[in-house]
Amino acid sequence: MAQLRIALAQTNPVVGDITGNADALVRWTREAADHGSHLVLFTEMFLTGYPVEDLVLRTSFLNASIEALEDVAVRLADEGLGDLPVVVGYVDRAGLAPRVGQPKGAPLDAAALLHQGRVVTRTAKHHLPNYGVFDEYRYFVRGDRLPIFRLHGVDVAIAVCEDLWQDGGPVAVVGRAGAGLLVVPNASPYEKEKDDVRLELVARRAREAGCALAYANQVGGQDELVFDGDSIVVDASGELVARAEQFKEELLVVDLDLPVSDAEPGVFPFDAGDGTTITVERLVLSDEPVAPYAKQAPEVAPRLDDTGEVYEALVLAVRDYVAKNGFRSVILGLSGGIDSALTATIASDAIGPERVHVVMMPSRYSSDHSLGDADELVRRQGLNSQVVPIADIVTAFEKEIDLSGLAAENLQARVRGMILMGLSNQHGHLVLTTGNKSELATGYSTLYGDSAGGFAPIKDVPKTMVWALSRWRNEHTDSSFLLSAERPIPENSITKEPSAELRPDQRDTDSLPPYEVLDRLLDDYVEKDMGSAELIAAGHDPELVARIIRLVDLAEYKRRQYPPGPKITPKNFGRDRRLPITNRWREPTA
């Protein structure tokens, strides 16, 4: 057996910032060298950021990615880091002739090995995901080469992200060709309870490949996606060796004992077991094992509980959306209700209370406790606040236009949206909307009112989870958050009956079932795509099924105009769930 110290750079690249990402690669590689590492593994498409979506179809972008790879290889050598091999993701091109149905430029979701100032070998993702948030047949062509390079006597293979999630392909070939270590750059987005699935998958693929496996995953927010890190190293039997923290950048350094190889270098075709052929390229960097050294104790970071995972994901999503898009501050309407209270708390934890501005906009129907609860939250968190009463503004509108019923209620929401957008324009704040997934599902939001804004932190959070997250945050007042030890959310905001307060004595339950009932039904209809008959068979009330399906289907046009927000469930409104707005299909009634 030979010793090998590998460093997994669990990093937060910025999409399109190729120069900045290259700078970060050099910094992380230097840190890995300072730890005595023999190999550094970066994440999928690290140099370009992930996902780049239609940027990949631009010739200029492809050229910049490829040039940056060559340049950073030289730069590493110039800065004394050339002897440390680096595996990094980037975008390449396959060099195929153009044809109908093939993405422009034939891009590759690629990874390369950098060593001694040059790009030693390249590979590309073989399995292209085309489900959920992924649309990679639109952007990439399939790779068909599997590099296995010898490093200090150990054969190391490279596969990319989805190649672990599908049967056959690179993992199957590694199992037959043989290697001591399989390294896998990833950009695997977060959804709740995914980490358990991920660990089981990595362990199973290590056993199939017959070698240790190092899984380096991206961390950070990118528009609607959140990447949670959770990088993992397992041995050949699938036993966990090391695991990085969730939602934080980290260099995970791991010492492994790996088998020495004497396989001949060369190029060999293998049946990939999925109807394709993969060409294995064996090459040698160094045959001689490193001299024995004292191993470091492996790190296995503790896991967050399910609710804590979601909360940390939302905080990271807000922090990165603000930072990566150049905003200095955020603003939101604070009503005293639970949705705005949770949104304000997430924002405060993400960027600091001094950068969070809240506006209390009481109307003629606002209850005394609403303003009081909002004031108490501001006091506890130290937010910037102002009060802008809207009664006279609404009255001025009503003098000029005759509105009643729902239209009159919506006017109040639109006045509030106008105030927030005006303050945003004046001061450069990012407006955060406060609607939750249950409201979005059933259409309980006002276009150009409470839906007006730039980012929606709890867009994918059902109402029952809003309460759970608020209670969780109040129970975790430790130093990992920016706020003081005082519970940030007033108890009355959590326990009082929810109401939009747009008419006298209004309650959400006037027109919706209790949220515990509603969210179970929405989960089956939206997340699981159950039809009417299946919902009734699952025990939901037939009359309620018909009513909620109608509400959800009719609100599609509203959801299309809602701001982006972080995905935390298996099927969010946006990248995951794509239904036509103009649509006469209606679920058959029982």
Side-chain angles (χ1 to χ4, degrees):
M1 302 293 279
Q3 288 182 279
L4 209 61
R5 177 170 290 176
I6 61 172
L8 284 68
Q10 179 172 289
T11 45
N12 187 351
V14 179
V15 164
D17 186 8
I18 296 176
T19 300
N21 295 337
D23 290 343
L25 182 144
V26 174
R27 288 196 305 272
W28 285 99
T29 301
R30 183 173 292 110
E31 183 175 345
D34 291 343
H35 282 84
S37 304
H38 305 118
L39 175 66
V40 190
L41 173 62
F42 283 85
T43 57
E44 180 180 4
M45 287 173 57
F46 174 81
L47 276 182
T48 59
Y50 180 92
V52 295
E53 299 182 291
D54 280 16
L55 286 174
V56 81
L57 304 179
R58 298 184 187 178
T59 301
S60 58
F61 188 80
L62 274 177
N63 289 343
S65 172
I66 296 166
E67 290 168 9
L69 182 77
E70 303 278 354
D71 291 346
V72 81
V74 173
R75 181 177 168 189
L76 288 170
D78 289 345
E79 298 195 20
L81 299 168
D83 290 337
L84 177 55
V86 171
V87 175
V88 62
Y90 71 110
V91 177
D92 207 335
R93 59 165 57 91
L96 301 175
R99 62 177 177 81
V100 175
Q102 178 178 284
K104 179 188 173 185
L108 293 166
D109 182 343
L113 172 65
L114 312 181
H115 188 234
Q116 294 181 341
R118 65 189 184 94
V119 180
V120 176
T121 188
R122 307 168 193 247
T123 186
K125 185 187 288 185
H126 179 75
H127 293 294
L128 300 177
N130 212 54
Y131 55 86
V133 300
F134 304 107
D135 197 10
E136 294 201 357
Y137 284 123
R138 174 183 175 92
Y139 298 120
F140 301 109
V141 298
R142 187 183 68 216
D144 59 4
R145 294 183 69 83
L146 174 66
I148 301 179
F149 63 94
R150 189 162 307 150
L151 177 62
H152 299 301
V154 177
D155 278 355
V156 182
I158 307 171
V160 181
C161 197
E162 186 71 14
D163 291 339
L164 284 188
W165 292 86
Q166 303 295 332
D167 294 331
V171 174
V173 171
V174 171
R176 292 196 291 276
L181 174 66
L182 173 60
V183 297
V184 187
N186 295 270
S188 176
Y190 170 77
E191 61 188 45
K192 62 189 181 73
E193 302 172 10
K194 187 175 184 177
D195 63 322
D196 295 330
V197 175
R198 188 182 286 149
L199 176 59
E200 190 279 329
L201 172 76
V202 170
R204 175 158 48 90
R205 295 307 188 200
R207 291 190 293 268
E208 291 174 11
C211 64
L213 195 157
Y215 173 103
N217 193 33
Q218 179 173 312
V219 67
Q222 171 57 33
D223 293 345
E224 291 184 306
L225 299 182
V226 189
F227 298 88
D228 57 324
D230 191 33
S231 299
I232 297 167
V233 179
V234 299
D235 64 20
S237 68
E239 289 297 312
L240 181 65
V241 175
R243 196 168 191 177
E245 290 193 70
Q246 298 164 282
F247 306 105
K248 291 182 175 64
E249 287 194 295
E250 177 181 352
L251 189 74
L252 181 65
V253 179
V254 186
D255 286 310
L256 297 172
D257 293 315
L258 301 169
V260 175
S261 174
D262 59 1
E264 290 294 321
V267 177
F268 311 93
F270 278 83
D271 180 352
D274 60 0
T276 68
T277 298
I278 288 180
T279 300
V280 171
E281 177 193 12
R282 289 189 177 275
L283 59 149
V284 176
L285 297 188
S286 53
D287 269 316
E288 190 66 26
V290 297
Y293 61 88
K295 293 195 293 186
Q296 296 182 359
E299 172 196 345
V300 178
R303 301 294 90 196
L304 294 162
D305 61 44
D306 290 345
T307 307
E309 277 188 359
V310 172
Y311 190 84
E312 292 278 13
L314 298 175
V315 168
L316 179 56
V318 171
R319 179 183 301 133
D320 273 3
Y321 195 87
V322 170
K324 292 179 179 180
N325 287 288
F327 289 98
R328 299 184 303 275
S329 54
V330 301
I331 191 169
L332 65 143
L334 192 66
S335 68
I338 191 59
D339 295 324
S340 62
L342 177 62
T343 302
T345 306
I346 290 168
S348 189
D349 283 337
I351 64 173
E354 70 281 357
R355 298 170 64 192
V356 179
H357 297 255
V358 297
V359 186
M360 292 165 275
M361 297 171 280
S363 75
R364 67 189 71 154
Y365 303 120
S366 296
S367 59
D368 293 337
H369 62 74
S370 292
L371 203 56
D373 294 338
D375 271 331
E376 178 61 15
L377 184 141
V378 168
R379 184 196 67 77
R380 293 186 185 194
Q381 298 191 23
L383 308 179
N384 303 288
S385 69
Q386 65 183 105
V387 179
V388 180
I390 68 167
D392 290 346
I393 303 173
V394 171
T395 298
F397 270 91
E398 290 173 337
K399 287 179 179 177
E400 303 300 330
I401 185 170
D402 184 21
L403 299 175
S404 62
L406 186 60
E409 294 179 20
N410 287 341
L411 175 60
Q412 298 167 68
R414 290 185 174 121
V415 165
R416 289 173 171 138
M418 181 177 63
I419 290 169
L420 291 173
M421 291 306 301
L423 292 170
S424 168
N425 290 159
Q426 180 68 30
H427 302 291
H429 307 309
L430 169 67
V431 177
L432 301 180
T433 61
T434 61
N436 62 66
K437 189 171 189 175
S438 305
E439 292 173 346
L440 266 68
T442 52
Y444 275 65
S445 63
T446 302
L447 276 179
Y448 324 118
D450 56 325
S451 67
F455 198 62
I458 61 172
K459 174 183 181 179
D460 198 33
V461 180
K463 184 75 171 191
T464 49
M465 189 182 292
V466 169
W467 281 309
L469 289 168
S470 300
R471 295 188 184 99
W472 184 93
R473 180 59 184 87
N474 270 2
E475 292 165 2
H476 291 78
T477 53
D478 55 41
S479 59
S480 65
F481 296 108
L482 297 174
L483 304 181
S484 69
E486 187 172 14
R487 292 187 167 202
I489 302 175
E491 187 65 19
N492 195 49
S493 291
I494 299 174
T495 57
K496 67 184 176 184
E497 189 173 356
S499 169
E501 295 191 334
L502 298 176
R503 62 175 183 266
D505 300 319
Q506 185 181 21
R507 299 289 182 270
D508 288 8
T509 50
D510 295 343
S511 49
L512 292 175
Y515 281 108
E516 292 78 6
V517 174
L518 175 63
D519 283 356
R520 286 195 297 270
L521 175 52
L522 290 174
D523 183 74
D524 285 343
Y525 184 52
V526 174
E527 307 284 338
K528 300 182 177 67
D529 281 316
M530 289 186 181
S532 178
E534 294 169 289
L535 292 168
I536 293 168
H540 298 288
D541 177 73
E543 183 178 340
L544 183 61
V545 166
R547 183 157 66 93
I548 296 305
I549 284 179
R550 183 176 184 277
L551 288 174
V552 173
D553 290 354
L554 291 178
E556 186 63 34
Y557 78 102
K558 286 187 177 183
R559 290 189 289 270
R560 292 287 187 92
Q561 300 178 70
Y562 208 80
K567 166 185 163 65
I568 55 95
T569 67
K571 184 170 287 190
N572 73 330
F573 290 125
R575 296 177 67 98
D576 278 324
R577 190 176 188 269
R578 309 177 196 180
L579 292 174
I581 296 173
T582 305
N583 170 22
R584 291 188 180 180
W585 170 255
R586 296 293 178 262
E587 273 295 309
T589 57

